[in-house]
Every structure is written in structure tokens, then in C-alpha cells.
Amino acid sequence: MACMWPLVLPDWVLADGRRNAEIAVFRRLDEALDSSWNVFYSRPWWGISPKGGELDGEADFILVHPDHGLLFLEVKGGAIAYDPTTDQWTSRDRNGIRHKIKDPVKQATTCKHQFLGRLKATQGWPSAFIRFRHGVIFPDCESPPISGLSVGQYEKRLFCCMQEFEYALDKWIHGRMIGHPTSSGHAEQGPGLDGVEIVKSLVADPVSFKVLVGREVLGEIDAMETLLTGAQLALISIIDSAPRALVEGGAGTGKTVLAMEMAARYELTGRTILFCCRSGPLSQHVATKMSPYPNVTVMTFDDLARSRESTEGRAKFLFPAPWDVVIVDEGQDFDWEWWELIEQVLRPVSGLLRIFADSNQAVYRRRDDLETRLGTRSFPLGINLRNTKAIAKVTDSLYRGPLIHAPGPQGVVPTVDVCGIHVAVQSTLGVVIRLLNEEGISPGMIAVLTPNAHVREEILGALAKSKILATNASRNLKQSVVVDTVPRFKGLEAPVVLMVADRELSNNQELSYVGVSRARSRLMVFGPISGTVLEAALTSKP
């Protein structure tokens, strides 16, 4: 077994389908080489740009042996081809799609020369002629024809294809490390144990510890996306047996996702559907998602109320009513008198009413009231599909109701910066800039939540001065940082949430609950929250 860096590949690497070939090579190198070899898997840590692309001059693997020297390997998966007329390398994936790729030999060679320069500039590096080699592994490709003189204008011995990879990888590696005299006649040699330690000092730290926050966040979200499966979606079939249903669950239990899935399924049966909620930004988000379904009408309750007009003493609707199905999201926020209008727009007798409401009895009216008044049957949601365990722990402190389980990844404990509101705004701006410039976070992954419109406009203005595209939740452009108040972001979510909280918000259990539960993977809170309900939730013990 080789000495592998890292010792074990993290879950977010294993879950990335683009790395299948590299993962296979990592495992084979571990099997094929003994403990005298150090194998550094470099690319995911210090060979990826903030946008996820490859950096020039970084090989996928660096192999180091005290006696044999250094070998720089580039890995390309899929079916590889080279067109000499255009000097273009391509790879065809499992779906048959062809992609242009960089010259793998040039990539390995460039890394070799750049790394040699770094080593020569490092104190203690041997002055002798150290053996440096490079090579390419195509783990999915058959070996080229024996009659061919070269591969892509390069010597065949530079390439390890499927058969060698599976059965003779160690022999191919030792073949690449065969010594030969230098141009000056001096014999090559390995770097020795001291040289190996110098290589570790240059490579091991970033390989072992430096993982862009953006990669961690995407890995955690990918893990949570797989949770929305049978148990949640099967509930739709069960609910079909009830003409009136109240679906209840805490923040993050997938109520809005389930409501949209239900709307889409009913629309495919030829029914007309009204999807009604309280929040304008949530209404716009749902309308975008529902755009492929022409028989689904999405509006806020205020839009619905304004759609009525009086004609000779009788009210009629500007929109098509009654609807076959009425789906109400954020039902806990609807005033009692609003339900009369909901009943008016629902088709009598055959109409289906579906209400989705938060079950947090600590901040909302008891569900029994809705169930009794509207004659609904209750269906609970008990799985948190949005938050990491670390964030769910904070929301649990603000929640009282039916038990909710958070089976997602552990995640990172939310951070708290207790400070004045002005300092909180400046700190938030600094963190946004750092996340965008240093941590591989894209603008569309960030939501900055504020206690009021004044702070929102201040942050939007400051981001504009920094030339960072930002918008409020109503527009919610994919390549923009979203900045809006906590109430307006209700029903929405973001991978990374930076929450600026004043004393009023921090002592409001409902707003605190809404704000912290919007974060999927990272939560950072700034403001004068000492001694408040929000601080107690953020610092609660297990």
C-alpha cells in the first residue's frame, strides 16, 4: 500500500461524477505501489479554479520515491481521441458526448517543469540531478495499435492504457522511472528521504487541508438532494385519498417542493390549479418553476384578492375561477377571513384543497385550528431535507411541534459575530467578498438577510460599489447575490446565508426561526444579539 495524500478521499470527491477516472487511478496506485512511494492527489485541492476549472500547470497526481525520483501523471477518462489535422484532443463520456480536452502530455510536462522550479528555489533541495518524469493514464481506453509509431505525436511509453492500468501499473511506473545519463553525463538519482520531506512541505499541506468552501457546500447539498425520494413523494399518492388535506412540517421539510410536485402532477391530469401563497418572492420563484405547466396559476393572496371586481353587486374574478385544485403554501400565515375567499375560488364538491403549513407551535397557531375549521385531514412531514445537522440543531432550538429528523451531512457549526449593527454590515460585506474571491462560492449561492429595508438597501449599495452583482429576492437572478429582509425571504433558501440581525429581530422567535432555517450548508450571523432568543438558539448545547 502506498502512502496516499489524502489517506482517504472525502465524500464530496467520491460523489463527483467528473472524477470517476481519477478516483479509479487513486485506488489502483494505492494497491499497486508499496509504502516507499508517496502519492499526492493534487487537483481537487490546489488545481481547481474558483469556477471549478483546471488550472494550467497542475498534474492530477505526483508520485515521489526517495530512490527513483518524481513522476507527474495526468489522467483522462472516457474514450480519448487525437485529431492531428487540428492538433485537438477529445474525450467521449458515457453518454456519447464528445468534449475538447487539453493536451494531457503538455499538462503533465508543464507541471513537471513548474514544480522543478519551485523545488530548486526551496532551501535544502539536493543539488544533484534528480530524476523527473511524466506520463499519462487513460484508464478507460484500449492500448493503441502496435503498428503505430506514436500517440498524438508522443512516444507510446508515455501512456498507460486500460490493460496496463488494470494488470501492470507498477511495471509501467517503474518503466517510466528507468534512469539514463543527463546531457552533461551525470547520472540521475532520487531525492532521498530529505527530498521527499521537502516535497511534502510544498504539497501535503494544501492537499490535506485546503478545500474550497464552495466545493464543500456543493458536496453537502448534493448529499441532501438525494434525500427527497420515496418517503416524501409517496405522500402525494396517500394525500389523493383526501379531498381536503393539511400537510404540516417544520422549516426544511420540503413543503414547497412537495406542493410544486403535486401541482405539476394534477396539471398533467387536465385539472386547473391555483397555487397561492403569502410571499411575493416565493410566488415568483414558484411561478418560474411552474412555467412549463399552463394550467397552473400562481399568485399571492393579495393578487387573488385584487383580482375580484364587482359587477352590479356581484363579485367576479379576472382570473379563471373556480379552480379544480387549490394549493395553499404558507398556510400558517393566512388570516382566518382569507379562507372564505379560498373557498369561493375552489370548485364546489369535486374541488381538491391542499394546504401546506409550518408545524412550529412555538410561533404559529396550532394546526388543530386549521384542521377543524377547514375540515382537513392532517399529513405530517418529519424529515428535514434542507439543512445540515449543524444548522438543524439551531432551528430545533426555536421549534416546538411534531418530531423532525435531519439525516443530512453534519456540516459546519454556524458562526456568530456579536457586534454593533454598523460593524455587522461591514463584516458581512467583507465575508461576501472573501467567499466570492477566495472560496469558490458563486454569487447565486449567497443570500444576505437583513432585519429591515434600510439595512438591505445599505448592503445592496455597498455591493454595487464593489462591483458585485446583487439583487433582492423578487428578482433572484442566478448570478447575483440575493439581499433582502428575513420576512421577504420566507419560503426560500440558499446554500450560504449571511444574516444581519438587530435586537428586534433577535428577540423575535418567528423571524429568528425563519432566518436561520433558510441556510442549507453555511450560516453566519452578525449583529448585537447578545442575550437574545437568537443567541440562545445559536449557542444551545446538544
Side-chain angles (χ1 to χ4, degrees):
M1 306 287 282
C3 182
M4 306 298 293
W5 300 83
L7 182 62
V8 178
L9 291 176
D11 290 341
W12 67 268
V13 171
L14 296 174
D16 189 343
R18 296 170 299 178
R19 305 189 191 282
N20 288 341
E22 295 166 17
I23 293 168
V25 172
F26 182 94
R27 291 170 173 166
R28 280 291 296 126
L29 289 170
D30 191 19
E31 296 171 354
L33 302 176
D34 61 37
S35 59
S36 62
W37 287 89
N38 279 269
V39 177
F40 300 94
Y41 179 31
S42 62
R43 201 184 87 177
W45 284 268
W46 52 291
I48 288 290
S49 72
K51 294 184 178 180
E54 295 181 20
L55 294 177
D56 289 335
E58 305 295 359
D60 292 325
F61 291 89
I62 302 174
L63 280 56
V64 185
H65 191 282
D67 301 324
H68 300 313
L70 286 77
L71 176 62
F72 297 79
L73 296 178
E74 185 65 28
V75 176
K76 298 296 183 186
I80 308 299
Y82 172 73
D83 184 352
T85 61
T86 59
D87 192 28
Q88 179 64 59
W89 291 81
T90 58
S91 172
R92 189 176 68 248
D93 62 27
R94 67 184 66 181
N95 298 315
I97 300 174
R98 192 173 295 277
H99 308 272
K100 292 182 179 180
I101 60 175
K102 297 178 181 179
D103 184 324
V105 178
K106 282 185 179 179
Q107 284 184 277
T109 305
T110 301
C111 181
K112 180 178 72 173
H113 290 305
Q114 289 187 355
F115 202 70
L116 175 59
R118 293 170 65 186
L119 288 171
K120 286 184 175 180
T122 302
Q123 185 175 4
W125 182 250
S127 58
F129 290 89
I130 305 302
R131 185 175 299 111
F132 279 75
R133 296 287 188 272
H134 61 275
V136 177
I137 297 181
F138 296 152
D140 304 321
C141 293
E142 295 279 355
S143 299
I146 298 177
S147 58
L149 299 177
S150 63
V151 175
Q153 303 178 4
Y154 299 108
E155 296 180 58
K156 284 185 179 181
R157 61 195 178 105
L158 294 178
F159 299 88
C160 175
C161 295
M162 184 169 58
Q163 189 167 4
E164 278 182 306
F165 174 70
E166 292 290 343
Y167 303 108
L169 181 59
D170 56 336
K171 293 182 179 179
W172 178 80
I173 290 173
H174 283 95
R176 290 297 303 125
M177 304 307 291
I178 293 175
H180 56 76
T182 65
S183 57
S184 62
H186 293 90
E188 294 178 318
Q189 63 184 58
L193 293 176
D194 290 341
V196 172
E197 291 302 315
I198 290 175
V199 174
K200 287 182 183 180
S201 71
L202 292 178
V203 180
D205 284 344
V207 169
S208 299
F209 303 113
K210 179 57 179 175
V211 181
L212 293 180
V213 172
R215 302 304 304 171
E216 292 179 339
V217 168
L218 292 176
E220 290 171 359
I221 290 176
D222 285 344
M224 288 185 284
E225 292 295 336
T226 63
L227 298 174
L228 185 60
T229 53
Q232 296 295 109
L233 297 182
L235 189 60
I236 294 177
S237 300
I238 299 174
I239 292 173
D240 276 342
S241 63
R244 290 172 173 248
L246 170 62
V247 183
E248 56 170 344
T253 52
K255 297 184 294 297
T256 300
V257 173
L258 201 59
M260 289 190 292
E261 177 70 17
M262 191 175 290
R265 294 191 181 199
Y266 284 141
E267 200 268 353
L268 293 176
T269 66
R271 294 181 172 101
T272 58
I273 298 96
L274 168 65
F275 192 111
C276 189
C277 60
R278 177 75 182 272
S279 164
L282 177 60
S283 174
Q284 294 176 15
H285 169 75
V286 173
T288 300
K289 295 290 187 181
M290 292 287 98
S291 58
Y293 303 94
N295 289 333
V296 177
T297 302
V298 182
M299 63 177 73
T300 65
F301 181 84
D302 289 341
D303 292 334
L304 179 64
R306 284 193 294 267
S307 74
R308 288 191 299 180
E309 64 176 12
S310 179
T311 303
E312 297 180 356
R314 293 182 302 170
K316 74 173 187 176
F317 290 90
L318 301 179
F319 291 94
W323 281 274
D324 298 319
V325 182
V326 174
I327 297 175
V328 175
D329 199 7
E330 301 179 306
Q332 75 282 344
D333 289 331
F334 277 45
D335 293 336
W336 285 127
E337 59 269 20
W338 294 5
W339 294 107
E340 181 179 349
L341 180 56
I342 295 296
E343 296 280 13
Q344 292 177 19
V345 300
L346 178 64
R347 186 174 300 282
V349 184
S350 63
L352 301 178
L353 178 62
R354 303 290 182 251
I355 303 169
F356 291 79
D358 197 302
S359 56
N360 190 353
Q361 298 165 10
V363 294
Y364 301 121
R365 69 171 63 94
R366 292 182 59 83
R367 67 155 175 93
D368 297 349
D369 298 334
L370 275 175
E371 195 173 15
T372 301
R373 173 152 184 171
L374 299 175
T376 61
R377 179 181 168 190
S378 181
F379 298 87
L381 297 174
I383 301 176
N384 185 332
L385 302 165
R386 175 189 297 153
N387 311 125
T388 62
K389 286 183 172 69
I391 295 173
K393 176 176 172 291
V394 180
T395 63
D396 286 348
S397 299
L398 299 165
Y399 174 84
R400 187 174 71 246
L403 182 65
I404 294 175
H405 176 56
Q410 180 60 42
V412 174
V413 175
T415 61
V416 183
D417 184 355
V418 179
C419 57
I421 197 70
H422 178 71
V423 174
V425 169
Q426 296 305 312
S427 297
T428 300
L429 294 173
V431 172
V432 169
I433 292 171
R434 177 177 62 81
L435 291 174
L436 295 176
N437 293 340
E438 300 177 18
E439 296 292 358
I441 297 289
S442 63
M445 296 169 66
I446 301 174
V448 179
L449 304 187
T450 68
N452 52 57
H454 174 75
V455 176
R456 176 189 64 197
E457 296 308 313
E458 183 180 354
I459 293 176
L460 282 170
L463 289 173
K465 288 181 180 178
S466 299
K467 298 184 179 180
I468 295 174
L469 189 61
T471 184
N472 61 39
S474 295
R475 298 180 66 192
N476 197 11
L477 303 176
K478 289 183 178 181
Q479 294 305 315
S480 299
V481 175
V482 173
V483 183
D484 218 323
T485 63
V486 170
R488 279 177 49 82
F489 206 68
K490 199 169 188 178
L492 302 175
E493 62 186 33
V496 179
V497 168
L498 282 65
M499 184 174 169
V500 179
D502 60 10
R503 299 287 298 181
E504 183 178 357
L505 185 154
S506 303
N507 274 315
N508 184 311
Q509 187 163 346
E510 178 181 353
L511 292 180
S512 296
Y513 171 72
V514 171
V516 300
S517 62
R518 302 306 98 192
R520 301 205 65 186
S521 176
R522 294 292 187 278
L523 172 64
M524 292 164 252
V525 180
F526 308 83
I529 70 169
S530 180
T532 64
V533 170
L534 178 57
E535 186 196 37
L538 288 163
T539 58
S540 63
K541 303 297 182 184

